């Protein structure tokens, strides 16, 4: 970890940003008002004769400068340390309560006035949290499907013997001035004491006032967790108003209710033991420490790393240069369509870098992490060496010494990206 941090510091000294923009909660661009005229100009600029309307790129005016994969890492990794309490728990009930505390905290409401980038297929994101000098938690995610969107991710702390493997698949439906985001995909949490299963990594989301009014989003619908020892939790989330997200549910042991669960995600959530006055605080808004997430230095960020892939687009959004942001975003999304078109015409199955497909359906939400991969010095050295090759190829291309276009290079980058 010391070596990783030294590399990161060296990168910062050269004035090169290598971190995710999601870690900056108070920046000016988060609260910029949406300019409807610029949105119209962006859409009009994409119009062509016989235009396929499904190929439109969402204007950068409506985007925050980070990918969905970065949001997943921020939400799940920042609170992963709460799962370490499972090891210290004295019995199965206490272990289950520890998992519930983690689950409630990853659902902390966050205000997002715009949307993140939709990851392109093959895009990946790598980061970690340094818990102590010899103790760190690693995170690797990859977009394994684009239609429908499926993000697979893996979190592991080897020293404590805790890891989580998950897939997040979602679909969006629009209705007037709101959108409903439906989620699915299994989650397994493995600890030295017990294994826990989540129905999905996040509940459904309702996004309100997407056209008119002040935009806000709230969790909606059911969410459940089970344990090998017979404990289960089922809860339902619903809207009271823009600043109150109601939570109600129960915890059972072998089918018998032992706790009721109640609260508000903007305030606190508690358990109340059935038949007694005992209450257990699971969650209080802004009460839990958020771990600082670290990222590989730019010298180790390849073309399909979220931070590198969207860097030019993100820089343009931050500078409020939306015409450049639109052009870069369209280029990335067009490249993805060309790569996928070529792959399907050749009859080739999609091969992910970090995950194996457990089903014949490449659009399934059932992918498993390749356990031989670990974020360590050797792994980052491979990334750094691969980065040098990329830069050499790019320099050769810019000097006109190859017939391969920039789009071709990006299109075939996936096949040549041997970083395992």
């Amino acid at each position: 970890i010391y070596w990783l941090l030294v590399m990161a510091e060296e990168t910062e000294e050269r004035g090169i940003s290598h971190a995710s923009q999601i870690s900056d909660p108070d920046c000016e661009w988060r609260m910029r008002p949406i300019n409807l005229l610029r949105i119209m100009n962006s859409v009009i600029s994409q119009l062509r004769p016989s235009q396929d309307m499904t190929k439109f790129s969402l204007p950068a005016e409506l985007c925050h400068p980070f990918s969905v994969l970065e949001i997943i890492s921020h939400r799940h990794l920042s609170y992963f340390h709460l799962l370490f309490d499972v090891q210290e728990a004295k019995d199965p009930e206490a272990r289950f309560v520890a998992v519930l505390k983690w689950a409630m905290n990853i659902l902390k409401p966050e205000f997002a006035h715009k949307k993140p980038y939709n990851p392109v297929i093959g895009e990946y994101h790598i980061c970690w949290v340094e818990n102590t000098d010899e103790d760190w938690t690693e995170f690797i995610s990859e977009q394994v499907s684009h239609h429908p969107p499926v993000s697979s991710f893996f979190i592991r702390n080897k020293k404590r013997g805790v890891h989580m493997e998950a897939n997040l698949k979602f679909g969006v439906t629009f209705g007037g001035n709101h959108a409903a985001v439906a989620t699915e995909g299994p989650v397994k949490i493995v600890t030295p004491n017990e294994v826990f299963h989540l129905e999905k990594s996040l509940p459904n989301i309702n996004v309100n006032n997407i056209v008119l009014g002040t935009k806000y989003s709230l969790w909606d619908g059911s969410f459940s967790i089970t344990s090998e020892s017979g404990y289960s939790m089922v809860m339902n989330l619903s809207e009271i108003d823009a600043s109150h997200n109601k939570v109600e549910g129960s915890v059972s042991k072998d089918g018998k209710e032992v706790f009721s669960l109640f609260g508000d995600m903007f305030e606190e959530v508690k358990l109340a033991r059935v038949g007694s006055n005992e209450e257990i605080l699971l969650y209080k808004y802004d009460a839990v420490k958020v771990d600082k997430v670290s990222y590989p230095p730019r010298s180790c960020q390849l073309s399909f790393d979220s931070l590198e892939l969207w860097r030019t687009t993100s820089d343009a959004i931050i500078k409020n240069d939306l015409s450049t942001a639109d052009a870069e975003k369209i280029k990335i999304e067009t490249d993805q369509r060309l790569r996928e078109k070529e792959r399907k015409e050749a009859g080739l199955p999609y091969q992910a870098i970090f995950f194996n497909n457990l089903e014949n359906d490449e659009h399934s939400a059932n992918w498993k992490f390749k356990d031989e991969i670990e974020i360590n010095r050797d792994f980052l050295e491979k990334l750094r060496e691969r980065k040098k090759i990329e830069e050499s190829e790019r320099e050769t291309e810019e000097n006109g010494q190859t017939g391969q276009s920039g789009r071709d290079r990006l299109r075939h980058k996936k096949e040549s990206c041997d970083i395992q």
Side-chain angles (χ1 to χ4, degrees):
I1 286 294
Y2 172 76
W3 178 81
L4 304 181
L5 294 176
V6 166
M7 287 205 308
E9 289 168 0
E10 289 174 351
T11 306
E12 287 179 342
E13 286 173 2
R14 293 197 300 271
I16 302 172
S17 172
H18 67 282
S20 172
Q21 297 297 332
I22 200 171
S23 59
D24 187 357
D26 301 317
C27 43
E28 173 270 337
W29 49 259
R30 282 189 182 270
M31 300 303 295
R32 282 181 196 155
I34 293 174
N35 187 314
L36 294 178
L37 181 59
R38 281 201 293 215
I39 293 175
M40 291 175 61
N41 288 338
S42 175
V43 171
I44 291 171
S45 70
Q46 298 180 58
L47 290 176
R48 299 290 185 275
S50 303
Q51 173 75 45
D52 181 352
M53 301 302 287
T54 65
K55 302 298 192 296
F56 265 103
S57 175
L58 188 74
E61 174 76 26
L62 297 173
C63 295
H64 279 325
F66 42 76
S67 167
V68 165
L69 298 186
E70 295 170 64
I71 289 183
I72 293 173
S73 71
H74 176 72
R75 189 171 285 280
H76 285 81
L77 183 58
S78 298
Y79 298 100
F80 197 77
H81 64 276
L82 295 176
L83 288 174
F84 301 160
D85 293 340
V86 173
Q87 290 178 271
E88 310 301 325
K90 63 183 184 299
D91 55 45
E93 180 182 286
R95 291 198 291 268
F96 195 68
V97 169
V99 172
L100 293 183
K101 288 182 178 179
W102 164 81
M104 293 300 107
N105 276 277
I106 67 169
L107 300 184
K108 175 188 170 185
E110 295 185 0
F111 298 95
H113 296 275
K114 300 181 182 181
K115 69 176 295 298
Y117 310 128
N118 291 333
V120 301
I121 190 167
E123 177 182 339
Y124 66 87
H125 185 56
I126 295 173
C127 54
W128 66 88
V129 163
E130 184 184 15
N131 304 114
T132 66
D133 288 344
E134 300 297 329
D135 177 12
W136 68 90
T137 304
E138 56 189 331
F139 174 97
I140 298 179
S141 63
E142 182 175 358
Q143 192 71 10
V144 294
S145 174
H146 187 70
H147 290 298
V150 180
S151 306
S152 296
F153 60 100
F154 181 81
I155 309 176
R156 174 175 56 196
N157 184 294
K158 275 199 166 183
K159 182 173 183 179
R160 298 173 187 267
V162 180
H163 75 260
M164 180 174 80
E165 45 192 295
N167 298 274
L168 176 58
K169 180 178 182 179
F170 65 90
V172 182
T173 56
F174 293 91
N177 200 28
H178 76 277
V181 181
T183 60
E184 60 178 285
V187 179
K188 181 167 75 171
I189 299 173
V190 179
T191 73
N193 312 94
E194 198 168 351
V195 177
F196 303 85
H197 295 273
L198 280 68
E199 169 194 8
K200 49 189 178 181
S201 59
L202 294 171
N204 297 341
I205 309 166
N206 278 341
V207 185
N208 301 284
N209 299 339
I210 58 176
V211 179
L212 300 173
T214 302
K215 181 181 173 183
Y216 67 94
S217 58
L218 297 170
W219 303 113
D220 181 70
S222 64
F223 187 64
S224 64
I225 305 175
T226 60
S227 73
E228 289 182 326
S229 57
Y231 280 90
S232 62
M233 182 278 293
V234 177
M235 70 177 185
N236 189 70
L237 298 108
S238 58
E239 175 181 349
I240 299 176
D241 56 38
S243 57
H244 292 89
N245 206 170
K246 184 179 179 180
V247 181
E248 53 185 351
S250 62
V251 174
S252 301
K253 173 69 166 74
D254 297 328
K256 181 180 179 180
E257 183 176 352
V258 291
F259 292 102
S260 62
L261 184 150
F262 61 95
D264 184 336
M265 294 309 303
F266 285 89
E267 295 176 2
E268 61 184 23
V269 176
K270 293 181 178 180
L271 291 176
R273 189 179 296 275
V274 174
S276 79
N277 295 323
E278 180 188 359
E279 290 187 346
I280 300 174
L281 180 66
L282 294 179
Y283 160 86
K284 187 172 184 179
Y285 189 85
D286 261 354
V288 174
K289 173 182 74 75
V290 178
D291 282 336
K292 179 183 178 182
V293 178
S294 299
Y295 304 89
R298 193 174 178 186
S299 62
C300 298
Q301 293 174 10
L302 304 184
S303 296
F304 277 80
D305 184 307
S306 293
L307 301 181
E308 185 67 20
L309 179 69
W310 297 102
R311 186 180 307 281
T312 306
T313 310
S314 295
D315 288 347
I317 289 176
I318 292 168
K319 295 173 183 176
N320 210 22
D321 180 3
L322 279 306
S323 59
T324 297
D326 276 337
E328 293 297 325
K329 184 172 180 290
I330 290 170
K331 182 171 69 173
I332 291 170
E333 293 166 351
T334 301
D335 285 339
Q336 172 186 234
R337 285 192 287 270
L338 290 172
R339 289 194 307 274
E340 283 299 279
K341 182 175 181 290
E342 285 191 351
R343 179 180 69 81
K344 291 175 180 177
E345 287 176 349
L348 299 174
Y350 175 70
Q351 298 292 330
I353 301 173
F354 300 109
F355 295 84
N356 288 319
N357 191 349
L358 299 182
E359 301 177 11
N360 291 327
D361 180 8
E362 66 180 41
H363 302 307
S364 76
N366 195 8
W367 295 70
K368 184 174 177 60
F369 183 68
K370 299 176 182 178
D371 282 332
E372 68 271 17
I373 299 170
E374 180 182 1
I375 301 177
N376 55 24
R377 178 169 182 163
D378 289 342
F379 177 73
L380 289 183
E381 283 288 10
K382 287 182 180 180
L383 291 179
R384 176 172 278 185
E385 289 305 310
R386 180 63 223 177
K387 179 78 169 186
K388 291 178 181 177
I389 295 172
E390 278 192 356
E391 291 174 344
S392 175
E393 291 173 347
R394 186 178 299 114
E395 183 178 350
T396 300
E397 174 194 322
E398 290 173 352
N399 290 335
Q401 297 176 17
T402 175
Q404 193 178 51
S405 68
R407 178 172 294 169
D408 290 332
R409 178 184 55 78
L410 186 58
R411 183 158 67 246
H412 296 294
K413 165 69 188 66
K414 181 71 170 59
E415 286 79 2
S416 62
C417 185
D418 180 15
I419 56 177
Q420 295 180 37

